[in-house]
Amino acid sequence: MCKRFTPLSHDEAQDILDAFTEGKPILLPDKDINDIKHDVFPGKTSPVFLPDGKGGLILVEATWGFPTADGKKLIFNTRLDTALRHLASGEGMWSKAIEQGRCLVLSRAFYENHKTDKRYSDKSGKLIKQQYRVSLNGTKAFFMAGVFQDGRFSIVTTTPNNTMALIHDRMPLVLGPGETSIW
């Protein structure tokens, strides 16, 4: 996944959690914010849902990305296959987060760089990969699987579906109806 997604605001996420908890219909405004100033990049915070230990969820603000051992970079995506290997072995960067810190990341859209299409940057004039904004038809928002630890989260990635395979060799693990409780 690329280094950018469009989250819901903290208040919108809280409204969704409250409606879900109270068994009310979940309503989102008919707006699609497609403005870079609303997007989240690694190192920035976003609302995420965590299990509350009682079968429900709580909403927290978390920083996107885990620091590398040298602290010079952030790892903001977690390959599902790698995380599951770490879970099985009990060792590795993702072992604790995948076992104890699964989270839900609510998003309107994510961005992905095309694997081959390129264009010239408006800012630098250099050739860069074409970036696409991806949302789900018929939905105003969707959940991506994440892992959480120590106030930080990472978005879980997986093999792309047929549509995304045309763009990139990975994609976020987008959770469909009923899959959030499994994650």
Side-chain angles (χ1 to χ4, degrees):
M1 184 177 124
C2 195
K3 304 179 214 178
R4 180 176 165 199
F5 71 94
T6 306
L8 274 67
S9 71
H10 187 89
D11 290 343
E12 289 171 324
Q14 186 64 57
D15 289 345
I16 287 172
L17 181 58
D18 293 344
F20 176 76
T21 302
E22 296 166 11
K24 295 181 179 176
I26 297 172
L27 303 173
L28 277 175
D30 283 331
K31 64 180 179 179
D32 181 24
I33 299 171
N34 187 2
D35 184 345
I36 195 167
K37 69 182 179 184
H38 292 96
D39 290 342
V40 174
F41 296 85
K44 301 299 181 190
T45 62
S46 178
V48 297
F49 293 96
L50 299 175
D52 68 0
K54 303 174 203 163
L57 296 170
I58 58 171
L59 182 65
V60 300
E61 288 288 323
T63 302
W64 186 17
F66 288 74
T68 56
D70 63 10
K72 293 183 179 180
K73 293 196 294 188
L74 291 175
I75 299 174
F76 47 89
N77 293 331
T78 302
R79 292 179 66 106
L80 180 60
D81 51 333
T82 302
L84 292 176
R85 274 197 314 275
H86 289 185
L87 176 63
S89 71
E91 298 177 357
M93 178 175 192
W94 305 115
S95 62
K96 183 178 176 185
I98 191 77
E99 181 180 10
Q100 301 172 6
R102 296 183 191 195
C103 67
L104 302 172
V105 182
L106 191 56
S107 179
R108 294 181 192 283
F110 63 89
Y111 294 80
E112 196 65 73
N113 287 338
H114 196 280
K115 55 188 170 187
T116 58
D117 287 352
K118 296 186 178 186
R119 68 174 181 83
Y120 288 97
S121 168
D122 296 335
K123 290 182 181 180
S124 69
K126 293 181 181 180
L127 199 58
I128 60 171
K129 290 183 179 179
Q130 178 65 45
Q131 191 173 75
Y132 291 91
R133 184 174 194 263
V134 181
S135 59
L136 275 77
N137 286 337
T139 64
K140 298 175 188 175
F142 54 91
F143 284 107
M144 298 182 290
V147 293
F148 175 89
Q149 186 176 325
D150 301 327
R152 295 183 169 274
F153 75 97
S154 175
I155 294 173
V156 174
T157 64
T158 190
T159 305
N161 61 25
N162 290 339
T163 302
M164 285 302 301
L166 300 171
I167 298 171
H168 203 273
D169 62 350
R170 304 289 301 166
M171 68 175 278
L173 178 55
V174 175
L175 301 171
E179 293 178 332
T180 55
S181 61
I182 297 168
W183 181 251

